[in-house]
Amino acid sequence: MMLHFTAPEFARRKERLLTEMAAHRLDGLLMFQQESMYWLTGYDTFGFCFFQALWLGADGRLALLTRSADLRQAQHTSLIEDIRVWTDRADATPQGQLRDMVASLGGAGGRIGVEYDSYGLTAANGRKLDTAFDGVATLHDASGLVDRLRAIKSPAEIIYVRQAAKLALAARDAAIATIGEGVDEGEVLAAMQGAVFRGGGDYPGNEFIIGSGRDALLCRYKAGRRQLDSEDQITLEWAGAYRHYHAAMMETVVVGPPRGRHLELFAAARQAMEACAHAIAPGRTAGEVFTAHAHVMDGHGLAEHRLAACGYSLGAKFTPSWMDPPMFYAGNNWLLEPGMVMFAHMILMDSASETAMCLGRTFLVTVNGNECLTDAPLDLIVNSL
Amino acid sequence: MMLHFTAPEFARRKERLLTEMAAHRLDGLLMFQQESMYWLTGYDTFGFCFFQALWLGADGRLALLTRSADLRQAQHTSLIEDIRVWTDRADATPQGQLRDMVASLGGAGGRIGVEYDSYGLTAANGRKLDTAFDGVATLHDASGLVDRLRAIKSPAEIIYVRQAAKLALAARDAAIATIGEGVDEGEVLAAMQGAVFRGGGDYPGNEFIIGSGRDALLCRYKAGRRQLDSEDQITLEWAGAYRHYHAAMMETVVVGPPRGRHLELFAAARQAMEACAHAIAPGRTAGEVFTAHAHVMDGHGLAEHRLAACGYSLGAKFTPSWMDPPMFYAGNNWLLEPGMVMFAHMILMDSASETAMCLGRTFLVTVNGNECLTDAPLDLIVNSL
């Protein structure tokens, strides 16, 4: 069994979760988020693409229902001992098997929390779940319950986050060493992702964002590569991932002489980043960080070129996204606390002039303020031959 | 705009979908699967991690509701012209905005299909969707409707699948050139994924599976790398991905002299693969392919060491998985047709002796039978110094 944390660490997490469940008067919790399963037991898989669920009873008992392809995966990567398997058939009813499993563990008649807001529980399967449990137990939405606990990292987790940050910086170095006129985006991607893998790191929760020319204005991955021109711009958003913990960064690199608009946008992005770095502190809200960012951007007359969010929490995340709550958006009153890991991204996209400028750094919230984990100079990167 | 297919190709797909919708008496379809959106319009994003939906009315009108971060993404990658944005706020109600959008396009009072079985529509959002549309339109589960159309590839799609297969073979060469005593798994992963990226390819729909020693018996990705011993085994399952189209392969590579059990399992895996290659033909069912595999495995006395499924369809897939329906499992009566791309994986895991042996190849179903797209010798790969 390959566990990335000690038994006492997992025991503390379980204790925190059982306390939360008691506060919500839950007799048990059905987890569908892979992030919750990994955090609570170490279970590490993308098998959540099929129906599976992890049960935690108020009595502390754990049980997993999954498919045969994940039986050994759970045995090798988690501390779950009670693993049950459902089999693919045209008439398979895994939700009914889950109900029977919960009943066998004393959950019948109980008040059960369910992670309804999970990629691992599609709306179609959610309906089947409700039907299967009808008359057997009452199901209550407990989405976000584990997320709240996961948001605050333990010292053991922060060790992995720091390693992820080192890999993010290594990927940055690899990118800067590769980018130049005539270089294919695919070479840049191979260099960056290769630096993470060679350092013992993992696939990211979502694809690295890479786009140049006009597509430097995009902030999602897409298929299709191009070669860099003699005067070009390339936007990169990436994360070092280690034991699935993420540390993200973002930069727009200019090839050839920067345009005046690049310099204008960069000045605003750096000032906004500095304002966010000041606002990321215990007792401040996620919404206040967004306001700090928007205030600078809008002061530069760039309101129409920024996004409606400027960052989010990072942790041990699985696909399709490395984004974790809370997010930096207007009015979000989630309080920042020591141990939270927050990614701040300053994204400026000017469609009229087709100019992009982005900056992103990851911060650890400390007792007094924060520490930038992906510390690299806040200078415009220009790669000229 | 970067479209990977011609306007007539997209028009044909839309025509096929409108015909299916008419057959199901649907006045409109709400798509939540990123795969459906990519297939129908080119829209290429992992933004499905948040709430978004694509509408197609029976009148042929398309409209997308998404977040601001995906506005330009939709403009740059798709032919969708009507793009509407919902904004992150603590009290955001995008499902209500979606209802209003559908009503504005004439969908009120209609019979609307919904892709309820989508990672892009969590159970929590599915409930909000039902509430928002209550009394406005009737929603019907239309999951799988686009999947059925996507399963059969056009000639234009097959060009990309063939390119994906070339990248899969390049990754295989890179793996074999790298594997050896003392080599870190991370080096192997970097070499394989780097070969795909350098060839213009994409991130896969799920992580490449890599595991050695005892973990060669796993068939999912997990965090944590190790170095290969002088006598070792490493199981790899990977896909070349091009324009998001996948061609997958699987091998267990032996380091140092193979054990007798390796040879026994390999003989069965190869024979089962040959049986499947014979069974993959138009008019045969997915279930028949599974039976062909199970018959060989069980004839070798290996029933307890095989899985309950032995492959699946491949196409343009997004995370968390590259697996598409139909799957090869017992009793699946989905008929194979020309233009389908099927991955067959022979997975043998003997826990008692901790021996793994896997083989996987991708086949294009043709008019007469099939063509192996990832054609490499079915020989046991032994990497000795």
Side-chain angles (χ1 to χ4, degrees):
Chain A
M1 193 164 49
M2 177 191 271
L3 288 174
H4 303 309
F5 296 96
T6 62
E9 167 88 8
F10 280 117
R12 278 191 294 273
R13 295 181 191 178
K14 190 171 171 179
E15 206 49 54
R16 286 176 69 201
L17 181 52
L18 287 170
T19 301
E20 275 300 306
M21 286 165 57
H24 289 80
R25 296 177 292 111
L26 294 176
D27 300 307
L29 181 65
L30 284 172
M31 284 160 273
F32 291 92
Q33 292 202 110
Q34 194 59 50
E35 292 79 8
S36 303
M37 304 186 201
Y38 182 70
W39 178 82
L40 187 64
T41 71
Y43 181 39
D44 185 1
T45 184
F46 60 84
F48 67 94
C49 62
F50 298 109
F51 184 84
Q52 64 169 9
L54 176 65
W55 163 260
L56 174 64
D59 59 1
R61 282 180 70 174
L62 285 165
L64 176 73
L65 179 69
T66 189
R67 291 167 71 251
S68 65
D70 273 302
L71 170 62
R72 279 190 195 79
Q73 191 80 14
Q75 290 169 337
H76 285 216
T77 67
S78 86
L79 44 75
I80 309 168
E81 290 174 359
D82 185 351
I83 305 166
R84 309 186 190 191
V85 168
W86 68 268
T87 300
D88 296 296
R89 283 195 316 264
D91 59 347
T93 54
Q95 292 80 18
Q97 269 184 259
L98 182 64
R99 175 202 57 220
D100 297 344
M101 180 182 98
V102 168
S104 78
L105 295 166
R111 181 182 151 86
I112 295 173
V114 174
E115 289 187 334
Y116 280 107
D117 199 12
S118 310
Y119 305 112
L121 185 66
T122 66
N125 282 335
R127 287 172 160 205
K128 291 178 191 166
L129 183 81
D130 289 345
T131 302
F133 277 79
D134 189 35
V136 176
T138 57
L139 304 184
H140 296 265
D141 193 348
S143 305
L145 197 147
V146 179
D147 289 346
R148 284 262 171 189
L149 301 179
R150 281 201 306 109
I152 300 174
K153 274 69 180 173
S154 71
E157 290 177 292
I158 292 169
I159 291 171
Y160 291 153
V161 176
R162 289 186 187 280
Q163 189 61 30
K166 280 183 193 162
L167 297 179
L169 289 165
R172 183 177 182 273
D173 290 344
I176 294 173
T178 308
I179 289 169
E181 179 185 348
V183 172
D184 192 280
E185 290 173 352
E187 291 289 337
V188 180
L189 200 50
M192 296 179 77
Q193 195 61 69
V196 174
F197 287 149
R198 289 196 175 86
D202 294 307
Y203 279 95
N206 50 254
E207 301 88 345
F208 288 2
I209 287 85
I210 181 166
S212 59
R214 184 171 171 261
D215 287 343
L217 278 70
L218 300 181
C219 43
R220 300 275 186 241
Y221 178 85
K222 60 163 177 40
R225 303 280 90 83
R226 68 183 277 280
Q227 288 191 355
L228 297 173
D229 286 336
S230 57
E231 295 191 17
D232 214 324
Q233 56 185 353
I234 177 167
T235 294
L236 300 166
E237 188 178 22
W238 72 97
Y242 192 78
R243 306 301 193 239
H244 295 298
Y245 288 82
H246 289 73
M249 301 189 75
M250 193 170 194
E251 305 271 8
T252 299
V253 178
V254 175
V255 178
R259 286 176 266 159
R261 192 61 171 156
H262 280 129
L263 302 176
E264 287 168 22
L265 297 184
F266 181 78
R270 178 162 67 181
Q271 193 185 331
M273 177 63 84
E274 286 165 348
C276 287
H278 192 72
I280 295 173
R284 307 289 291 268
T285 68
E288 286 177 70
V289 179
F290 175 77
T291 302
H293 142 273
H295 182 74
V296 172
M297 297 294 199
D298 299 1
H300 281 262
L302 299 171
E304 66 176 304
H305 304 304
R306 64 166 171 83
L307 297 182
C310 75
Y312 40 80
S313 177
L314 291 172
K317 272 282 294 160
F318 291 76
T319 59
S321 151
W322 70 49
M323 295 176 259
D324 238 343
M327 188 176 283
F328 294 144
Y329 59 72
N332 189 347
N333 61 7
W334 189 317
L335 277 175
L336 302 183
E337 294 179 60
M340 291 177 72
V341 176
M342 303 300 303
F343 176 54
H345 59 59
M346 309 300 111
I347 296 179
L348 282 167
M349 305 298 198
D350 177 0
S351 285
S353 67
E354 294 194 345
T355 310
M357 190 48 64
C358 305
L359 260 181
R361 297 290 186 267
T362 295
F363 299 88
L364 172 66
V365 182
T366 59
V367 174
N368 299 316
N370 69 67
E371 174 189 348
C372 183
L373 297 178
T374 54
D375 201 19
L378 291 181
D379 296 329
L380 180 63
I381 308 172
V382 180
N383 277 40
S384 301
L385 290 179
Chain B
M1 194 165 48
M2 177 190 269
L3 288 174
H4 303 308
F5 295 98
T6 62
E9 168 87 8
F10 280 117
R12 278 191 294 273
R13 295 181 191 177
K14 190 171 172 180
E15 206 50 53
R16 285 175 69 200
L17 181 51
L18 287 170
T19 301
E20 275 301 305
M21 285 166 58
H24 288 81
R25 296 177 294 111
L26 295 175
D27 299 308
L29 181 65
L30 282 172
M31 282 160 272
F32 291 92
Q33 292 202 108
Q34 194 59 49
E35 292 78 8
S36 303
M37 304 186 202
Y38 182 71
W39 178 82
L40 188 62
T41 71
Y43 181 38
D44 185 0
T45 184
F46 60 85
F48 67 95
C49 62
F50 298 109
F51 184 84
Q52 64 168 8
L54 176 66
W55 163 262
L56 174 64
D59 59 1
R61 284 180 69 174
L62 285 165
L64 176 73
L65 179 68
T66 189
R67 290 167 72 252
S68 65
D70 272 302
L71 170 61
R72 280 190 194 80
Q73 192 79 13
Q75 290 169 336
H76 285 216
T77 67
S78 86
L79 45 74
I80 309 168
E81 291 175 358
D82 186 351
I83 305 165
R84 309 186 190 191
V85 167
W86 68 268
T87 300
D88 296 295
R89 283 195 316 266
D91 58 347
T93 54
Q95 292 79 19
Q97 271 184 257
L98 183 64
R99 175 203 55 219
D100 296 344
M101 181 181 97
V102 167
S104 77
L105 295 166
R111 181 181 151 85
I112 296 172
V114 174
E115 289 186 334
Y116 280 107
D117 199 13
S118 311
Y119 304 112
L121 186 65
T122 66
N125 282 335
R127 288 173 158 205
K128 290 179 191 167
L129 184 80
D130 290 345
T131 302
F133 277 79
D134 188 36
V136 177
T138 57
L139 304 184
H140 296 265
D141 193 349
S143 305
L145 197 147
V146 179
D147 289 345
R148 284 264 170 188
L149 302 179
R150 283 200 306 109
I152 300 173
K153 274 69 180 172
S154 70
E157 289 178 292
I158 292 169
I159 290 171
Y160 291 153
V161 175
R162 288 187 186 281
Q163 189 61 29
K166 281 184 193 162
L167 296 179
L169 288 164
R172 182 177 182 272
D173 290 344
I176 294 173
T178 308
I179 290 169
E181 179 185 347
V183 172
D184 192 279
E185 290 174 351
E187 290 289 337
V188 180
L189 200 50
M192 296 179 77
Q193 195 61 69
V196 174
F197 287 149
R198 288 197 175 85
D202 294 307
Y203 279 93
N206 50 253
E207 300 89 344
F208 288 1
I209 287 84
I210 180 165
S212 60
R214 182 169 172 263
D215 287 343
L217 278 71
L218 301 181
C219 44
R220 300 274 187 243
Y221 178 86
K222 59 163 177 41
R225 304 279 90 84
R226 70 182 277 278
Q227 288 191 354
L228 297 172
D229 286 336
S230 56
E231 295 191 16
D232 214 324
Q233 56 185 354
I234 178 167
T235 294
L236 300 165
E237 187 179 22
W238 72 97
Y242 193 78
R243 305 300 192 242
H244 295 298
Y245 287 83
H246 290 72
M249 301 190 74
M250 193 170 193
E251 306 271 9
T252 299
V253 178
V254 175
V255 177
R259 286 175 264 159
R261 191 62 170 156
H262 281 130
L263 302 176
E264 288 168 21
L265 297 185
F266 181 80
R270 178 162 67 182
Q271 193 185 332
M273 177 63 84
E274 287 165 348
C276 287
H278 192 72
I280 294 173
R284 307 289 290 268
T285 68
E288 285 177 71
V289 179
F290 175 78
T291 302
H293 142 274
H295 182 74
V296 172
M297 297 294 200
D298 300 0
H300 282 262
L302 299 171
E304 66 176 304
H305 304 303
R306 63 165 171 85
L307 297 182
C310 75
Y312 41 81
S313 177
L314 291 172
K317 272 282 295 160
F318 291 76
T319 59
S321 151
W322 71 48
M323 295 176 260
D324 238 343
M327 189 176 282
F328 294 143
Y329 59 72
N332 189 347
N333 61 8
W334 188 318
L335 277 175
L336 302 184
E337 294 179 59
M340 291 178 71
V341 176
M342 303 300 303
F343 176 54
H345 59 60
M346 309 300 112
I347 296 179
L348 282 167
M349 306 297 198
D350 177 0
S351 285
S353 67
E354 296 194 343
T355 310
M357 190 47 66
C358 306
L359 260 182
R361 297 290 186 266
T362 294
F363 300 88
L364 172 67
V365 181
T366 59
V367 175
N368 300 317
N370 68 66
E371 174 189 346
C372 182
L373 298 178
T374 54
D375 201 19
L378 291 182
D379 296 328
L380 180 62
I381 308 173
V382 180
N383 278 39
S384 300
L385 290 179

